[in-house]
């Protein structure tokens, strides 16, 4: 069904697409009523004992939330805070909160939470209900004084103090909500958030901040202490895989580093198996960090990973720190 919907978005003259539009109107009405119900107190929301920063988006697909969460953890630590991270965890089915450890299985905790835990070494917990997950994290790690929610902009059951929306330039002009378009909330929702982060140089509002993703050094998945630069791949038959929301973004990054690679796309959050990669013949296989946490159990010597860092305008750090100073919390 998803494939049919994606094709309909490209062929807006199709009968199937016209059928999706009324469904989109219905979805829009439902989410508007749901949000107003939370605002009016008809649906109950829950606060945590510490400030909550939500990093989310209004559209489907990858928009770069994970690098921003990692960036936020680093910036908060530099300024004296002890952050923790909570997440739904894609594909996570258990109800009770779970602590994400460095050796946790991605199938149990989700690929993005596992990546965040490995990169930041800060407490990361996952579960269905974020308020409960946040309370469990704070009980286990009482020194944490700020919680970052990876995704959850539409999870109004958890009260938040700061909202950061990540905007994909490709969806800034999107008109319809699901299922006729990629939006989970209307564009006007961006007018209510504290900050917007955009890829590249496209400004969408006065409270928007530019983000660039940079990566220069590759590490070997089988031996992470072994690192190389792009020159290492000269003369090698090199391929790249990407099971992320925007695979072309990763492939373009490799091209910008001077690599000539064949890019192989997988679905976002694809559950990689050893057979998936074994069938790819090449001298070197490059992947994202998000994919690497799932491929680590069957790593081979020719598997390489390109980690990326987010570079974001310093004014965003200033804004977040200023807002945190004004927040007084009691659960």
């Amino acid at each position: 069904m998803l494939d049919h919907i994606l094709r309909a978005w490209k062929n807006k003259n199709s009968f199937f697409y016209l059928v999706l539009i009324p469904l989109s109107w219905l979805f829009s009405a439902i989410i508007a009523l749901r949000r107003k119900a939370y605002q009016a107190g008809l649906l109950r929301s829950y606060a945590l004992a510490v400030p909550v920063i939500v990093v989310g988006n209004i559209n489907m697909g990858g928009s770069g939330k994970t690098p921003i969460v990692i960036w936020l953890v680093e910036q908060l630590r530099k300024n004296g805070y002890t952050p923790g991270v909570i997440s739904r965890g894609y594909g996570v089915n258990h109800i009770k909160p779970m602590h994400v450890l460095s050796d946790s299985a991605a199938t149990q905790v989700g690929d993005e939470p596992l990546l965040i835990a490995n990169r930041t070494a800060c407490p990361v917990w996952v579960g269905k209900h974020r308020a409960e997950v946040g309370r469990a994290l704070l009980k286990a790690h009482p020194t944490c004084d700020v919680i970052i929610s990876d995704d959850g902009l539409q999870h109004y059951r958890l009260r938040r103090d700061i909202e950061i929306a990540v905007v994909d330039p490709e969806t800034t002009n999107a008109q319809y909500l699901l299922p006729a378009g990629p939006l989970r909330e209307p564009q006007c929702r961006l007018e209510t958030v504290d900050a917007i982060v955009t890829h590249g140089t496209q400004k969408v509002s006065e409270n928007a901040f530019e983000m660039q993703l940079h990566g220069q050094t590759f590490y070997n998945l089988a031996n992470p202490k072994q690192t190389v630069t792009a020159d290492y791949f000269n003369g090698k038959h090199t391929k790249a895989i990407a099971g992320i929301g925007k695979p072309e973004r990763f492939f373009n990054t490799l091209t910008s580093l001077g690599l000539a690679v064949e890019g192989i796309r997988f679905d976002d959050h694809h559950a990689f198996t050893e057979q998936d990669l074994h069938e790819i013949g090449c001298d070197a296989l490059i992947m994202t960090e998000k994919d690497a946490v799932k491929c680590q159990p069957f790593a081979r010597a020719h598997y390489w990973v390109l980690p990326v860092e987010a570079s974001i305008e310093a004014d965003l750090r200033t804004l977040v720190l200023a807002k945190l100073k004004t927040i007084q919390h009691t659960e």
Side-chain angles (χ1 to χ4, degrees):
M1 176 60 73
L2 179 59
D3 290 339
H4 290 296
I5 291 176
L6 294 176
R7 284 197 294 269
W9 291 354
K10 296 179 181 180
N11 182 16
K12 293 181 171 53
N13 294 321
S14 69
F15 175 77
F16 184 56
Y17 180 74
L18 297 178
V19 171
L20 295 178
I21 293 177
L23 296 177
S24 176
W25 295 337
L26 177 61
F27 179 70
S28 179
I30 292 172
I31 65 166
L33 289 172
R34 176 176 173 271
R35 186 164 185 237
K36 288 185 180 298
Y38 273 108
Q39 291 173 337
L42 298 176
L43 292 177
R44 188 176 178 184
S45 60
Y46 300 84
L48 297 181
V50 302
V52 173
I53 304 173
V54 171
V55 180
N57 57 18
I58 63 169
N59 59 280
M60 279 183 60
S63 56
K65 296 185 300 296
T66 301
I68 296 174
V69 170
I70 294 171
W71 179 87
L72 268 176
V73 169
E74 294 170 348
Q75 299 304 314
L76 290 170
R77 276 179 169 161
K78 290 177 182 178
N79 287 274
Y81 288 92
T82 304
V85 177
I86 61 175
S87 175
R88 173 66 175 85
Y90 183 86
V92 174
N93 295 319
H94 48 77
I95 303 296
K96 293 183 179 180
M98 176 178 287
H99 188 191
V100 181
L101 304 173
S102 60
D103 59 352
S104 293
T107 54
Q108 294 295 316
V109 300
D111 46 17
E112 290 161 344
L114 182 55
L115 169 57
I116 294 169
N118 287 339
R119 280 285 297 271
T120 65
C122 81
V124 179
W125 285 64
V126 297
K128 183 176 181 180
H129 302 297
R130 286 180 177 82
E132 295 175 12
V133 175
R135 284 194 289 266
L137 186 154
L138 292 173
K139 183 178 180 180
H141 308 275
T143 58
C144 282
D145 50 15
V146 59
I147 293 292
I148 303 170
S149 176
D150 176 28
D151 208 356
L153 196 61
Q154 292 79 34
H155 189 82
Y156 295 113
R157 195 165 184 245
L158 173 66
R159 296 181 193 175
R160 68 287 310 270
D161 301 281
I162 300 174
E163 291 184 328
I164 300 175
V166 191
V167 173
D168 190 318
E170 294 181 9
T171 59
T172 52
N173 296 319
Q175 179 181 1
Y176 287 112
L177 276 69
L178 295 167
L183 298 179
R184 296 193 282 184
E185 289 189 284
Q187 296 283 2
C188 62
R189 175 69 170 89
L190 296 176
E191 299 172 5
T192 67
V193 301
D194 297 282
I196 298 170
V197 176
T198 62
H199 284 277
T201 59
Q202 183 173 350
K203 285 277 190 179
V204 296
S205 71
E206 292 183 358
N207 67 331
F209 302 88
E210 299 171 9
M211 174 179 70
Q212 301 282 350
L213 297 178
H214 303 283
Q216 297 286 336
T217 304
F218 303 77
Y219 70 83
N220 187 272
L221 187 57
N223 179 17
K225 293 184 179 180
Q226 182 183 0
T227 61
V228 298
T229 60
D231 293 340
Y232 170 82
F233 301 99
N234 291 341
K236 291 182 171 59
H237 181 204
T238 304
K239 294 183 179 181
I241 60 171
I244 58 178
K246 301 290 182 182
E248 61 277 5
R249 188 175 291 154
F250 179 62
F251 300 146
N252 290 339
T253 297
L254 297 178
T255 300
S256 71
L257 294 175
L259 296 179
V261 300
E262 175 189 342
I264 303 172
R265 293 169 171 80
F266 289 85
D267 292 337
D268 193 14
H269 300 287
H270 178 74
F272 285 96
T273 66
E274 185 172 8
Q275 191 63 26
D276 285 336
L277 305 191
H278 181 67
E279 295 175 350
I280 302 174
C282 58
D283 298 327
L285 183 64
I286 302 174
M287 64 187 70
T288 70
E289 274 192 297
K290 177 176 166 179
D291 297 324
V293 297
K294 291 174 286 190
C295 299
Q296 180 67 58
F298 42 87
R300 296 193 177 192
H302 68 292
Y303 295 172
W304 296 89
V305 185
L306 177 64
V308 295
E309 303 283 346
S311 175
I312 306 176
E313 291 181 81
D315 288 346
L316 177 60
R317 178 183 64 242
T318 303
L319 181 150
V320 170
L321 294 175
K323 285 185 174 292
L324 286 176
K325 289 181 180 179
T326 67
I327 298 169
Q328 295 181 348
H329 247 261
T330 55
E331 188 175 357

